[in-house]
């Protein structure tokens, strides 16, 4: 009889073993998901000083951490509460299984599990969370196998990066930064205990919602560590009653959405897993400057609104001018779809310090700094005047500021163009300097006519400006360009003739630690001495010309206003000795603003606001422009003027002051 029983048991054992082997063969491929663990990881953007700008991810917000960077206290706390014999068992814990089975039988249901950390990892990565016998068997088989492939440390690394900590945080590093705004090594014991206690019931123990329960669970962890002798009495007492500060942060923490959107747009073609690859992307952005830029744009926007509110009280002002006709408009017309943009870069590198694509990202994510193509109006004039200077004109050259009538045909129909200066007046004769300072349209048109459309067109192309019409309308900036592209063109002036391409990506580091860095892209446009002639004129634009509202006490600034026909666009493009900024205001629907809303009134105050605030946080920046040694000065009609060999002054017998490294020498 015994023989038959033994044989039966043997056969059953063989059958069970065979079944288990068959089952294992069916599921063993699943273990590769754990061995070759590569979960989706959050990509982080940082500013130039290492400050976090934003987290981006698809579904799971996970900041990966390697085992070597996990503090020992975290491991001890986790093992103490979840799997005390983790470093001793081989994937499953028979003693724990026996205890759990007895309790479950007594309760006539499932009241306690006996999963090791290895089994929990298997369940999280490979299997479902259903409490079924078949899943538990599969889980045990895979856990035993996994422990023959991975070390205990590798298993813990995967577990602590995979497990869900509530509040949409995956992985313990994510949870530490999310709940406590700390890195793992900065956590104290109570904070660690809260975190390792969360996976049991993330929603129930969420410290942002149920802090009392979270603290109770944490104290269970601390008590267990004390019982095991893993912390001393002092650590126990210091931790048991401590209540940490808990934060309820947004997941993305996006402090500069226009910036992040643009950076992703720049990278997504080359990095297809930008939202799940766990990259560290260091940007050129200065978050302090970005904050000031947003404030500056809002400041300018609110000034427009305030002016509109005041003018609405007087019905006679509720008109726009279309040609010679005045058209009445309804209340609110002037602010409907009104918006703006600002781009600020380092002069000598092209690094973008601040970029704001609109007044309110929550209202519109359209990035006007990058995507919007608008006419620059008179902001294009410095490129035309620089071309003239390089062809032998000087700042003291005389221009004719009188009107002309131009006849042309469109589809066989004769047309007449009679351009005018702002205000309708003309000066007759005016110097090149004064013409640009006061943005005289007629003098500019006559200058372009005298130099020739072809020469001016080549000059604009030299500055990288494209898409221009081949007619006199280029004189008034009748081509379309984005604020970012106009920033690139203006860098020729701010960077002494070396044009820099604005860029935002400083370096990219992948999850393996490999880093790619980016360098400035430059192009020679003109000599420093020729550019300095223009710089002196643009300084006068700010000091006594159309850009007077851009002035900042204690800081030399140069720049140019720009206003298009019917006041559709308002610009100020300018720079200090180290930083260049372009500001634009207009309406998204290309409708006119009020006739009073021009570059000097609308955009220049925002420009000034930016530099005033920037100077407060960076008082150390260079305050004055430097004059190249081979730029000369003289006096023409009682006024100091600058010239070079390429751009000589009119022939007058006046004293000449040559500037050299050894000092100033007066010649006659």
């Amino acid at each position: 009889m015994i023989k038959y029983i033994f044989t039966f048991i043997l056969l059953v054992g063989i059958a069970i073993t065979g079944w288990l082997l068959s089952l294992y063969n069916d599921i063993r491929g699943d273990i590769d998901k754990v061995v070759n663990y590569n979960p989706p990881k959050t990509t982080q953007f940082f500013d130039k000083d290492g400050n976090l700008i934003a987290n981006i991810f698809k579904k799971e917000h996970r900041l990966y951490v390697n085992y070597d960077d996990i503090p020992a206290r975290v491991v001890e706390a986790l093992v103490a509460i979840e799997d005390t014999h983790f470093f001793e068992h081989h994937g499953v814990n028979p003693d724990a299984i026996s205890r759990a089975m007895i309790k479950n039988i007594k309760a006539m249901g499932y009241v306690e599990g006996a999963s090791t950390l290895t089994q929990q990892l298997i369940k999280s990565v490979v299997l479902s969370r259903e409490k079924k016998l078949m899943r538990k068997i599969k889980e045990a088989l895979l856990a035993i196998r996994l422990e023959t492939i991975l070390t205990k440390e590798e298993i813990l690394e995967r577990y602590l990066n995979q497990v869900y900590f509530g509040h949409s945080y995956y992985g313990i590093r994510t949870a530490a930064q999310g709940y406590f705004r700390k890195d793992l090594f900065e956590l104290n014991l109570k904070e660690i205990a809260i975190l390792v206690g969360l996976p049991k019931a993330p929603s129930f123990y969420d410290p942002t919602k149920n802090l009392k329960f979270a603290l109770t669970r944490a104290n269970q962890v601390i008590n267990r560590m004390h019982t095991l002798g893993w912390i001393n009495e002092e650590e126990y007492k210091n931790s048991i009653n401590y209540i940490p500060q808990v934060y309820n942060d947004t997941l993305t923490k996006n402090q500069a959405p226009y910036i992040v959107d643009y950076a992703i747009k720049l990278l997504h073609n080359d990095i297809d897993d930008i939202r799940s690859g766990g990259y560290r992307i260091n940007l050129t952005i200065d978050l302090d400057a970005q904050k000031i830029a947003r404030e500056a744009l809002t400041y300018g926007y609110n000034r427009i609104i305030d002016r509109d509110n005041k003018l609405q009280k007087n019905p006679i002002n509720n008109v726009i001018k279309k040609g010679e006709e005045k058209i009445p408009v309804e209340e609110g017309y002037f602010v409907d779809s009104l918006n703006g943009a600002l781009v600020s870069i380092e002069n000598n590198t092209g690094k973008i310090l601040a970029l704001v694509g609109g007044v309110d990202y929550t209202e519109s994510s359209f990035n006007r700094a990058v995507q919007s193509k608008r006419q620059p109006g008179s902001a294009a004039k410095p490129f035309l005047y620089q071309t003239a200077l390089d062809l032998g004109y000087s700042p003291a050259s005389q221009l004719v500021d009188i009107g002309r009538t131009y006849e042309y045909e469109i589809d066989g129909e004769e047309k007449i163009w009679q351009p005018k200066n702002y205000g309708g007046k003309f000066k007759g004769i005016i110097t090149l300097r004064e013409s640009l300072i006061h943005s005289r349209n007629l003098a500019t048109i006559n200058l372009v006519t005298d130099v020739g459309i072809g020469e001016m067109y080549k000059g604009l192309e030299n500055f990288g400006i494209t898409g221009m019409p081949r007619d006199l309308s280029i004189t008034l900036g009748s081509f379309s360009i984005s604020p970012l592209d106009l920033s690139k063109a203006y860098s020729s002036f701010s960077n002494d003739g070396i044009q820099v391409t604005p860029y935002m990506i400083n370096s990219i580091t992948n999850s393996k630690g490999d880093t790619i860095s980016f360098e400035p892209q430059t192009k020679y446009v003109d000599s420093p001495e020729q550019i300095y002639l223009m710089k002196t004129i643009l300084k006068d634009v700010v000091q006594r010309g159309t850009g007077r509202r851009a002035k900042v006490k204690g800081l030399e600034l140069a720049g140019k206003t720009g206003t298009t026909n019917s006041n559709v666009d308002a610009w100020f493009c300018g720079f200090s000795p180290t930083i260049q900024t372009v500001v634009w205001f207009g309406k998204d629907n290309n409708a006119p603003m009020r006739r009073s809303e021009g570059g000097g009134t609308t955009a220049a105050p925002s420009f000034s606001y930016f530099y005033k605030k920037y100077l407060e946080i960076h008082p150390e920046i260079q305050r004055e422009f430097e004059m190249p040694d081979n730029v000369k000065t003289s006096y023409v009609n009682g006024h100091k003027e600058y010239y070079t060999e390429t751009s000589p002054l009119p022939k007058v017998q006046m004293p000449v002051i040559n500037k050299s490294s050894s000092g100033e020498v007066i010649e006659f």
Side-chain angles (χ1 to χ4, degrees), residues 52-53 55 57 61 167-169 177-178 181 247-255:
L52 178 66
I53 295 177
N55 300 308
F57 51 91
H61 179 22
H167 213 257
S168 298
Y169 299 142
Q177 292 194 5
R181 295 181 183 173
Y247 298 92
N248 192 5
D249 282 338
T250 60
L251 298 179
T252 60
K253 295 190 73 173
N254 196 336
Q255 300 188 65

PDB file of all heavy atoms in Angstrom, residues 52-53 55 57 61 167-169 177-178 181 247-255:
ATOM      1  N   LEU A  52      15.680  74.421 -12.442  1.00  0.00           N
ATOM      2  CA  LEU A  52      14.702  73.645 -13.201  1.00  0.00           C
ATOM      3  C   LEU A  52      13.676  74.561 -13.858  1.00  0.00           C
ATOM      4  O   LEU A  52      13.043  75.389 -13.198  1.00  0.00           O
ATOM      5  CB  LEU A  52      13.987  72.650 -12.279  1.00  0.00           C
ATOM      6  CG  LEU A  52      12.901  71.791 -12.942  1.00  0.00           C
ATOM      7  CD1 LEU A  52      13.508  70.852 -13.977  1.00  0.00           C
ATOM      8  CD2 LEU A  52      12.140  71.005 -11.886  1.00  0.00           C
ATOM      9  N   ILE A  53      13.500  74.401 -15.163  1.00  0.00           N
ATOM     10  CA  ILE A  53      12.481  75.149 -15.905  1.00  0.00           C
ATOM     11  C   ILE A  53      11.212  74.318 -16.034  1.00  0.00           C
ATOM     12  O   ILE A  53      10.111  74.804 -15.787  1.00  0.00           O
ATOM     13  CB  ILE A  53      12.994  75.539 -17.304  1.00  0.00           C
ATOM     14  CG1 ILE A  53      14.172  76.512 -17.188  1.00  0.00           C
ATOM     15  CG2 ILE A  53      11.874  76.154 -18.133  1.00  0.00           C
ATOM     16  CD1 ILE A  53      14.781  76.890 -18.519  1.00  0.00           C
ATOM     17  N   ASN A  55       9.547  69.892 -16.332  1.00  0.00           N
ATOM     18  CA  ASN A  55       9.582  68.449 -16.565  1.00  0.00           C
ATOM     19  C   ASN A  55       8.612  68.146 -17.702  1.00  0.00           C
ATOM     20  O   ASN A  55       7.495  68.668 -17.711  1.00  0.00           O
ATOM     21  CB  ASN A  55       9.116  67.676 -15.333  1.00  0.00           C
ATOM     22  CG  ASN A  55       9.970  67.940 -14.107  1.00  0.00           C
ATOM     23  OD1 ASN A  55      11.186  67.823 -14.162  1.00  0.00           O
ATOM     24  ND2 ASN A  55       9.337  68.289 -12.999  1.00  0.00           N
ATOM     25  N   PHE A  57       6.935  64.770 -20.003  1.00  0.00           N
ATOM     26  CA  PHE A  57       6.802  63.315 -20.060  1.00  0.00           C
ATOM     27  C   PHE A  57       5.509  62.977 -20.776  1.00  0.00           C
ATOM     28  O   PHE A  57       4.670  63.851 -21.032  1.00  0.00           O
ATOM     29  CB  PHE A  57       6.798  62.721 -18.649  1.00  0.00           C
ATOM     30  CG  PHE A  57       5.823  63.379 -17.715  1.00  0.00           C
ATOM     31  CD1 PHE A  57       4.529  62.907 -17.593  1.00  0.00           C
ATOM     32  CD2 PHE A  57       6.207  64.485 -16.964  1.00  0.00           C
ATOM     33  CE1 PHE A  57       3.626  63.536 -16.745  1.00  0.00           C
ATOM     34  CE2 PHE A  57       5.312  65.114 -16.112  1.00  0.00           C
ATOM     35  CZ  PHE A  57       4.013  64.631 -16.005  1.00  0.00           C
ATOM     36  N   HIS A  61       5.495  60.242 -14.967  1.00  0.00           N
ATOM     37  CA  HIS A  61       6.513  61.210 -14.532  1.00  0.00           C
ATOM     38  C   HIS A  61       7.537  60.466 -13.678  1.00  0.00           C
ATOM     39  O   HIS A  61       7.295  60.152 -12.521  1.00  0.00           O
ATOM     40  CB  HIS A  61       5.838  62.319 -13.729  1.00  0.00           C
ATOM     41  CG  HIS A  61       6.782  63.366 -13.218  1.00  0.00           C
ATOM     42  ND1 HIS A  61       8.021  63.610 -13.780  1.00  0.00           N
ATOM     43  CD2 HIS A  61       6.670  64.251 -12.186  1.00  0.00           C
ATOM     44  CE1 HIS A  61       8.620  64.574 -13.122  1.00  0.00           C
ATOM     45  NE2 HIS A  61       7.823  64.984 -12.146  1.00  0.00           N
ATOM     46  N   HIS A 167       0.121  60.481  -6.514  1.00  0.00           N
ATOM     47  CA  HIS A 167       0.231  61.850  -7.021  1.00  0.00           C
ATOM     48  C   HIS A 167       0.863  61.892  -8.406  1.00  0.00           C
ATOM     49  O   HIS A 167       1.508  62.879  -8.783  1.00  0.00           O
ATOM     50  CB  HIS A 167       1.040  62.698  -6.041  1.00  0.00           C
ATOM     51  CG  HIS A 167       0.582  64.126  -5.991  1.00  0.00           C
ATOM     52  ND1 HIS A 167       1.243  65.141  -6.606  1.00  0.00           N
ATOM     53  CD2 HIS A 167      -0.480  64.701  -5.393  1.00  0.00           C
ATOM     54  CE1 HIS A 167       0.642  66.276  -6.394  1.00  0.00           C
ATOM     55  NE2 HIS A 167      -0.428  66.028  -5.653  1.00  0.00           N
ATOM     56  N   SER A 168       0.738  60.782  -9.143  1.00  0.00           N
ATOM     57  CA  SER A 168       1.318  60.625 -10.488  1.00  0.00           C
ATOM     58  C   SER A 168       2.844  60.625 -10.493  1.00  0.00           C
ATOM     59  O   SER A 168       3.470  60.915 -11.515  1.00  0.00           O
ATOM     60  CB  SER A 168       0.809  61.720 -11.438  1.00  0.00           C
ATOM     61  OG  SER A 168      -0.580  61.622 -11.597  1.00  0.00           O
ATOM     62  N   TYR A 169       3.451  60.295  -9.360  1.00  0.00           N
ATOM     63  CA  TYR A 169       4.904  60.192  -9.280  1.00  0.00           C
ATOM     64  C   TYR A 169       5.320  58.722  -9.399  1.00  0.00           C
ATOM     65  O   TYR A 169       4.887  57.881  -8.621  1.00  0.00           O
ATOM     66  CB  TYR A 169       5.426  60.733  -7.942  1.00  0.00           C
ATOM     67  CG  TYR A 169       5.121  62.189  -7.699  1.00  0.00           C
ATOM     68  CD1 TYR A 169       4.780  62.630  -6.419  1.00  0.00           C
ATOM     69  CD2 TYR A 169       5.176  63.131  -8.718  1.00  0.00           C
ATOM     70  CE1 TYR A 169       4.508  63.962  -6.175  1.00  0.00           C
ATOM     71  CE2 TYR A 169       4.907  64.462  -8.485  1.00  0.00           C
ATOM     72  CZ  TYR A 169       4.565  64.878  -7.209  1.00  0.00           C
ATOM     73  OH  TYR A 169       4.298  66.203  -6.969  1.00  0.00           O
ATOM     74  N   GLN A 177      11.274  64.744  -4.933  1.00  0.00           N
ATOM     75  CA  GLN A 177      11.237  66.105  -5.450  1.00  0.00           C
ATOM     76  C   GLN A 177       9.813  66.646  -5.471  1.00  0.00           C
ATOM     77  O   GLN A 177       9.584  67.839  -5.229  1.00  0.00           O
ATOM     78  CB  GLN A 177      11.859  66.160  -6.842  1.00  0.00           C
ATOM     79  CG  GLN A 177      13.350  65.889  -6.840  1.00  0.00           C
ATOM     80  CD  GLN A 177      14.030  66.271  -8.132  1.00  0.00           C
ATOM     81  OE1 GLN A 177      13.421  66.838  -9.031  1.00  0.00           O
ATOM     82  NE2 GLN A 177      15.318  65.948  -8.236  1.00  0.00           N
ATOM     83  N   GLY A 178       8.852  65.758  -5.760  1.00  0.00           N
ATOM     84  CA  GLY A 178       7.465  66.196  -5.833  1.00  0.00           C
ATOM     85  C   GLY A 178       6.863  66.554  -4.495  1.00  0.00           C
ATOM     86  O   GLY A 178       6.233  67.608  -4.345  1.00  0.00           O
ATOM     87  N   ARG A 181      10.382  68.605  -2.488  1.00  0.00           N
ATOM     88  CA  ARG A 181      11.279  69.503  -3.228  1.00  0.00           C
ATOM     89  C   ARG A 181      12.733  69.286  -2.823  1.00  0.00           C
ATOM     90  O   ARG A 181      13.517  70.232  -2.650  1.00  0.00           O
ATOM     91  CB  ARG A 181      10.893  70.968  -3.014  1.00  0.00           C
ATOM     92  CG  ARG A 181       9.533  71.336  -3.567  1.00  0.00           C
ATOM     93  CD  ARG A 181       9.204  72.797  -3.351  1.00  0.00           C
ATOM     94  NE  ARG A 181       7.872  73.122  -3.830  1.00  0.00           N
ATOM     95  CZ  ARG A 181       7.277  74.302  -3.643  1.00  0.00           C
ATOM     96  NH1 ARG A 181       7.915  75.255  -2.984  1.00  0.00           N
ATOM     97  NH2 ARG A 181       6.062  74.513  -4.096  1.00  0.00           N
ATOM     98  N   TYR A 247       4.655  69.441  -0.136  1.00  0.00           N
ATOM     99  CA  TYR A 247       4.241  70.341  -1.215  1.00  0.00           C
ATOM    100  C   TYR A 247       3.304  69.620  -2.175  1.00  0.00           C
ATOM    101  O   TYR A 247       3.394  68.410  -2.370  1.00  0.00           O
ATOM    102  CB  TYR A 247       5.465  70.854  -1.976  1.00  0.00           C
ATOM    103  CG  TYR A 247       6.399  71.660  -1.120  1.00  0.00           C
ATOM    104  CD1 TYR A 247       7.466  71.042  -0.455  1.00  0.00           C
ATOM    105  CD2 TYR A 247       6.220  73.019  -0.945  1.00  0.00           C
ATOM    106  CE1 TYR A 247       8.324  71.777   0.349  1.00  0.00           C
ATOM    107  CE2 TYR A 247       7.081  73.760  -0.138  1.00  0.00           C
ATOM    108  CZ  TYR A 247       8.125  73.131   0.497  1.00  0.00           C
ATOM    109  OH  TYR A 247       8.978  73.855   1.294  1.00  0.00           O
ATOM    110  N   ASN A 248       2.429  70.396  -2.775  1.00  0.00           N
ATOM    111  CA  ASN A 248       1.479  69.854  -3.752  1.00  0.00           C
ATOM    112  C   ASN A 248       1.793  70.480  -5.106  1.00  0.00           C
ATOM    113  O   ASN A 248       1.028  71.273  -5.643  1.00  0.00           O
ATOM    114  CB  ASN A 248       0.047  70.165  -3.319  1.00  0.00           C
ATOM    115  CG  ASN A 248      -0.979  69.390  -4.133  1.00  0.00           C
ATOM    116  OD1 ASN A 248      -0.636  68.561  -4.964  1.00  0.00           O
ATOM    117  ND2 ASN A 248      -2.239  69.672  -3.898  1.00  0.00           N
ATOM    118  N   ASP A 249       2.958  70.148  -5.644  1.00  0.00           N
ATOM    119  CA  ASP A 249       3.436  70.766  -6.877  1.00  0.00           C
ATOM    120  C   ASP A 249       2.731  70.209  -8.107  1.00  0.00           C
ATOM    121  O   ASP A 249       2.269  69.074  -8.117  1.00  0.00           O
ATOM    122  CB  ASP A 249       4.947  70.542  -7.041  1.00  0.00           C
ATOM    123  CG  ASP A 249       5.760  71.470  -6.162  1.00  0.00           C
ATOM    124  OD1 ASP A 249       5.229  72.525  -5.769  1.00  0.00           O
ATOM    125  OD2 ASP A 249       6.917  71.146  -5.875  1.00  0.00           O
ATOM    126  N   THR A 250       2.692  71.054  -9.160  1.00  0.00           N
ATOM    127  CA  THR A 250       2.257  70.538 -10.452  1.00  0.00           C
ATOM    128  C   THR A 250       3.346  69.620 -10.978  1.00  0.00           C
ATOM    129  O   THR A 250       4.520  69.749 -10.618  1.00  0.00           O
ATOM    130  CB  THR A 250       2.038  71.679 -11.453  1.00  0.00           C
ATOM    131  OG1 THR A 250       3.271  72.382 -11.636  1.00  0.00           O
ATOM    132  CG2 THR A 250       0.980  72.652 -10.954  1.00  0.00           C
ATOM    133  N   LEU A 251       2.964  68.727 -11.846  1.00  0.00           N
ATOM    134  CA  LEU A 251       3.931  67.745 -12.333  1.00  0.00           C
ATOM    135  C   LEU A 251       4.994  68.373 -13.220  1.00  0.00           C
ATOM    136  O   LEU A 251       6.176  68.070 -13.116  1.00  0.00           O
ATOM    137  CB  LEU A 251       3.202  66.639 -13.095  1.00  0.00           C
ATOM    138  CG  LEU A 251       2.194  65.814 -12.281  1.00  0.00           C
ATOM    139  CD1 LEU A 251       1.544  64.770 -13.172  1.00  0.00           C
ATOM    140  CD2 LEU A 251       2.874  65.146 -11.114  1.00  0.00           C
ATOM    141  N   THR A 252       4.580  69.247 -14.119  1.00  0.00           N
ATOM    142  CA  THR A 252       5.539  69.789 -15.079  1.00  0.00           C
ATOM    143  C   THR A 252       6.407  70.889 -14.471  1.00  0.00           C
ATOM    144  O   THR A 252       7.547  71.060 -14.865  1.00  0.00           O
ATOM    145  CB  THR A 252       4.817  70.365 -16.306  1.00  0.00           C
ATOM    146  OG1 THR A 252       3.938  71.413 -15.883  1.00  0.00           O
ATOM    147  CG2 THR A 252       4.017  69.288 -17.016  1.00  0.00           C
ATOM    148  N   LYS A 253       5.856  71.653 -13.530  1.00  0.00           N
ATOM    149  CA  LYS A 253       6.561  72.801 -12.942  1.00  0.00           C
ATOM    150  C   LYS A 253       7.062  73.740 -14.031  1.00  0.00           C
ATOM    151  O   LYS A 253       8.128  74.356 -13.916  1.00  0.00           O
ATOM    152  CB  LYS A 253       7.727  72.343 -12.063  1.00  0.00           C
ATOM    153  CG  LYS A 253       7.314  71.554 -10.840  1.00  0.00           C
ATOM    154  CD  LYS A 253       8.465  71.320  -9.885  1.00  0.00           C
ATOM    155  CE  LYS A 253       8.831  72.602  -9.169  1.00  0.00           C
ATOM    156  NZ  LYS A 253       9.847  72.376  -8.111  1.00  0.00           N
ATOM    157  N   ASN A 254       6.304  73.863 -15.106  1.00  0.00           N
ATOM    158  CA  ASN A 254       6.752  74.616 -16.271  1.00  0.00           C
ATOM    159  C   ASN A 254       6.734  76.117 -15.986  1.00  0.00           C
ATOM    160  O   ASN A 254       5.678  76.744 -15.921  1.00  0.00           O
ATOM    161  CB  ASN A 254       5.856  74.282 -17.471  1.00  0.00           C
ATOM    162  CG  ASN A 254       6.486  74.717 -18.780  1.00  0.00           C
ATOM    163  OD1 ASN A 254       7.322  75.611 -18.820  1.00  0.00           O
ATOM    164  ND2 ASN A 254       6.091  74.071 -19.864  1.00  0.00           N
ATOM    165  N   GLN A 255       7.928  76.687 -15.844  1.00  0.00           N
ATOM    166  CA  GLN A 255       8.041  78.108 -15.530  1.00  0.00           C
ATOM    167  C   GLN A 255       8.175  78.985 -16.773  1.00  0.00           C
ATOM    168  O   GLN A 255       8.136  80.214 -16.660  1.00  0.00           O
ATOM    169  CB  GLN A 255       9.260  78.343 -14.636  1.00  0.00           C
ATOM    170  CG  GLN A 255       9.209  77.597 -13.321  1.00  0.00           C
ATOM    171  CD  GLN A 255      10.334  78.008 -12.407  1.00  0.00           C
ATOM    172  OE1 GLN A 255      10.425  79.148 -11.960  1.00  0.00           O
ATOM    173  NE2 GLN A 255      11.225  77.071 -12.128  1.00  0.00           N
TER     174      GLN A 255
END
